């Protein structure tokens, strides 16, 4: 497992750490010598991870329960982190979910839920670390967005809207903190092999149609950890999908016409 020497002795906080990209990122940070704070609703899984990390890597690993959609709980959790860890060097806003459905079928509860976690929860967590990072003139905020935030497709209208919002927030935040020594990075992966699709696409058709094009969480986590504490604007994976997003920004009508068949594979 590749190491990032910049992380040795640093404190990394990861939301949605109990599985998928969050879990893989946590283990790679620990392998680089970072101390971990793991946040998720699944505290039992977090505690198992924290114990495994302490035993295997000899670093500090703290597991705390946090439901990102309960925005009123976030400040108290971050106060506890600061009390126990002293400071936060890297915040990875990884928690998020999606539901794939045609716009006419999306319920108000679906809309509220996705925005509560993917957007508002991310913003509230970020607000908790900004003052400390600014004061220390050091830190890195990494927001896990999606290629869906650059190129929306059918059946992902609300999910794409949340990720467009994350990118807009991230781009503004990056400029605000540029003079304070705090890095801000957006991570825009395409579809990954996680339990995300258990909820997003219960039929399994989308994952089946993606086949070998689906990303591994290990690969994405490796890229994320490699970039920690560097001034990296974005991480975009896979390259061919990001090229499509760039092309879409220039020639939207052409891409919508030529990609119509592929876009409806959900």
């Amino acid at each position: 497992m590749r190491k990032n020497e910049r992380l040795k002795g640093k404190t990394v906080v990861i939301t949605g750490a109990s599985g998928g990209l969050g879990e893989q990122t946590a283990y790679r940070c620990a392998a680089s010598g970072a101390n971990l704070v793991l946040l998720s609703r699944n505290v039992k899984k977090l505690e198992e991870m924290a114990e495994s990390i302490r035993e295997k890597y000899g670093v500090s690993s703290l597991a705390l329960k946090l439901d990102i959609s309960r925005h009123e709980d976030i400040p108290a959790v971050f106060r506890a982190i600061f009390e126990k860890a002293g400071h936060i060097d890297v915040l990875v806003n990884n928690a998020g979910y999606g539901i794939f459905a045609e716009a006419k079928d999306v319920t108000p509860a679906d809309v509220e839920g996705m925005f509560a976690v993917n957007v508002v929860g991310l913003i509230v967590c970020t607000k908790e670390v900004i003052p400390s990072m600014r004061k220390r003139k050091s830190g890195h905020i990494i927001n896990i967005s999606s290629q869906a935030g650059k190129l929306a497709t059918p059946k992902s209208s609300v999910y794409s809207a949340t990720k467009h919002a994350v990118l807009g927030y991230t781009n503004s935040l990056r400029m605000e903190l540029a003079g304070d020594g705090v890095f801000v990075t957006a991570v825009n992966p395409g579809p990954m092999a996680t339990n995300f699709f258990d909820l997003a696409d219960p039929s399994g058709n989308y994952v089946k149609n993606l086949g070998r094009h689906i990303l591994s969480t290990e690969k994405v986590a490796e890229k994320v950890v490699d970039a920690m504490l560097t001034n990296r604007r974005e991480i975009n994976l896979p390259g061919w999908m990001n090229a499509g997003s760039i092309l879409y920004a220039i020639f939207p009508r052409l891409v919508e016409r030529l990609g119509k068949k592929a876009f409806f594979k959900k």
Side-chain angles (χ1 to χ4, degrees), residues 35-39 46 50 54 60-64 80-81 84-85:
N35 298 310
L36 275 298
V37 180
L38 310 174
L39 305 177
L46 289 185
R54 288 191 293 266
S60 171
S61 186
L62 177 65
L64 295 174
I81 295 171
K84 294 179 180 182

Side-chain angles (χ1 to χ4, degrees), residues 50-66:
E51 184 177 356
S52 173
I53 285 170
R54 288 191 293 266
E55 290 179 356
K56 186 172 183 179
Y57 300 106
V59 298
S60 171
S61 186
L62 177 65
L64 295 174
K65 184 174 182 178
L66 178 61

